[in-house]
Amino acid sequence: MSGYEFDFFISYSRQGSVQKWLLNHFYNKLVECLADECAPAPKVYMDRHMPRAVEWSHNLATSLRHSKIMIQVMTPHYFRSGWCMSELDSMRAREKMLGLASTEVSQGLIYPILYSDSENFPITERMRKWHDFKEYAHPDPVYQQTVDYIHFHKEVKKLAGDLVELMEQAPDWQPNWPIVERPDPIVTPRTPLPRFKRCPEP
């Protein structure tokens, strides 16, 4: 395989409700809105749609290498997942290779979406402007029957416009795009508890 196969790669952690949200609402709505913005319709990779009988870790790495832009869905668990960090580090290495997301060229190839939290993210992860979807983070199907779903659609439509503009600026594909191996879970060291001391005698 050579060249780009996907326009967008969705990177996310399966912990919490975000996977349900992606499958019930975001993925299909994004595909629809991207198709409204340009033709042919952009192709979006999500790991739940990989072919059967493939080795999933190799499929992830190959699909990322052949994707133009990474959509990073940010949750607290994202930054504790070795696989998510591998995807993020790989795309950052590509940006560094191209001189993107730097003081010279501030635009990069990673588009962050905020699904939940943000207060407990590592400080370095707050330096890139994200698209805030916390208000629309309702994972259950019944959300589609509410009035608020219209606002969700409008927000995804706005996102799709941004993504198409970014996609059209993507650099030509190179066979040596880096893949950073980091499969081990990310463990944040716990703060040591103070030792109990015997109370002084009265």
Side-chain angles (χ1 to χ4, degrees), residues 167-182:
M167 174 191 76
E168 292 172 347
Q169 300 173 35
D172 293 337
W173 185 81
Q174 296 183 32
N176 60 335
W177 289 144
I179 292 295
V180 178
E181 299 289 344
R182 196 173 172 181

Side-chain angles (χ1 to χ4, degrees), residues 56-187:
W56 67 271
S57 61
H58 293 158
N59 183 268
L60 280 172
T62 301
S63 300
L64 180 61
R65 180 179 276 123
H66 292 273
S67 297
K68 295 178 181 178
I69 305 296
M70 192 180 86
I71 301 171
Q72 175 195 23
V73 185
M74 303 171 77
T75 62
H77 288 284
Y78 186 91
F79 301 105
R80 292 172 176 257
S81 164
W83 293 111
C84 292
M85 291 295 95
S86 175
E87 293 164 4
L88 182 59
D89 290 346
S90 297
M91 193 56 85
R92 282 179 172 163
R94 187 190 303 186
E95 291 178 333
K96 185 175 180 180
M97 181 177 167
L98 295 166
L100 302 177
S102 63
T103 52
E104 290 77 21
V105 183
S106 59
Q107 183 64 64
L109 302 173
I110 301 165
Y111 193 108
I113 288 176
L114 178 63
Y115 179 79
S116 60
D117 190 38
S118 76
E119 295 299 324
N120 298 302
F121 292 171
I123 294 176
T124 54
E125 304 304 330
R126 304 180 200 177
M127 301 305 293
R128 195 181 302 235
K129 184 173 175 60
W130 57 58
H131 196 134
D132 193 341
F133 268 82
K134 286 174 71 172
E135 184 180 346
Y136 313 102
H138 305 290
D140 296 318
V142 69
Y143 180 44
Q144 297 179 18
Q145 310 305 319
T146 67
V147 175
D148 287 345
Y149 201 74
I150 297 171
H151 302 295
F152 170 69
H153 172 84
K154 289 180 179 179
E155 202 64 28
V156 177
K157 189 172 181 63
K158 187 189 305 182
L159 168 67
D162 287 349
L163 290 173
V164 167
E165 184 178 343
L166 188 58
M167 174 191 76
E168 292 172 347
Q169 300 173 35
D172 293 337
W173 185 81
Q174 296 183 32
N176 60 335
W177 289 144
I179 292 295
V180 178
E181 299 289 344
R182 196 173 172 181
D184 295 326
I186 307 301
V187 179

